[in-house]
């Protein structure tokens, strides 16, 4: 867990530095907000790792770990022949395009994303 935690914390610090530099150079609020939001999201994941996953024993954190130590680890159940990822990508595209072109398209994309999210829950 320590390697992942260091990765998220260093990425969050890098995002803050880039956001400050972007604001000082461009004085553009949207890009600065997005970079700051990225730093917040990375910090949130790092905080979750500290609070909820502090006792995780990951083989990658051990100095004497080998690749074979991670073999056979169950990480989840994945369906390989599901059309849901493609439809979800289309719904997210509708949301993004709708924010630019038409609020109706964005609303339809949000509804589709919520329905597809429910399908993902049922399928898993």
């Amino acid at each position: 867990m320590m390697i992942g935690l260091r990765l998220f914390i260093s990425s969050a610090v890098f995002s803050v530095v880039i956001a400050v530099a972007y604001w000082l150079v461009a004085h553009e609020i949207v890009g600065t907000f997005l970079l700051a939001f990225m730093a917040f999201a990375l910090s949130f994941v790092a905080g979750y790792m500290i609070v909820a996953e502090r006792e995780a024993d990951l083989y990658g954190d051990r100095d004497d770990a080998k690749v074979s130590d991670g073999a056979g680890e169950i990480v989840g159940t994945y369906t390989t022949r599901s059309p849901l990822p493609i439809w979800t990508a289309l719904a997210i595209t509708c949301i993004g395009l709708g924010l630019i072109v038409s609020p109706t398209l964005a609303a339809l994309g949000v509804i589709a994303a919520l329905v597809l999210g429910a399908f993902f829950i049922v399928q898993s």
Side-chain angles (χ1 to χ4, degrees), residues 8-55:
F8 281 108
I9 290 174
S10 64
S11 297
V13 170
F14 177 75
S15 296
V16 168
V17 169
I18 293 299
V20 170
Y22 186 77
W23 173 253
L24 292 174
V25 171
H27 297 290
E28 200 256 327
I29 194 152
V30 175
T32 305
F33 173 77
L34 290 174
L35 287 166
F37 181 76
M38 183 172 73
F40 169 75
L42 291 166
S43 300
F44 183 81
V45 172
Y48 175 79
M49 289 176 75
I50 292 170
V51 173
E53 301 290 330
R54 85 176 71 128
E55 295 169 5

Side-chain angles (χ1 to χ4, degrees), residues 77-89 116 119-124:
T77 304
Y78 300 100
T79 55
T80 57
R81 301 200 183 264
S82 174
L84 291 179
I86 294 170
W87 288 110
T88 304
L116 289 166
F119 279 134
F120 267 118
I121 292 170
V122 169
Q123 193 177 43
S124 67

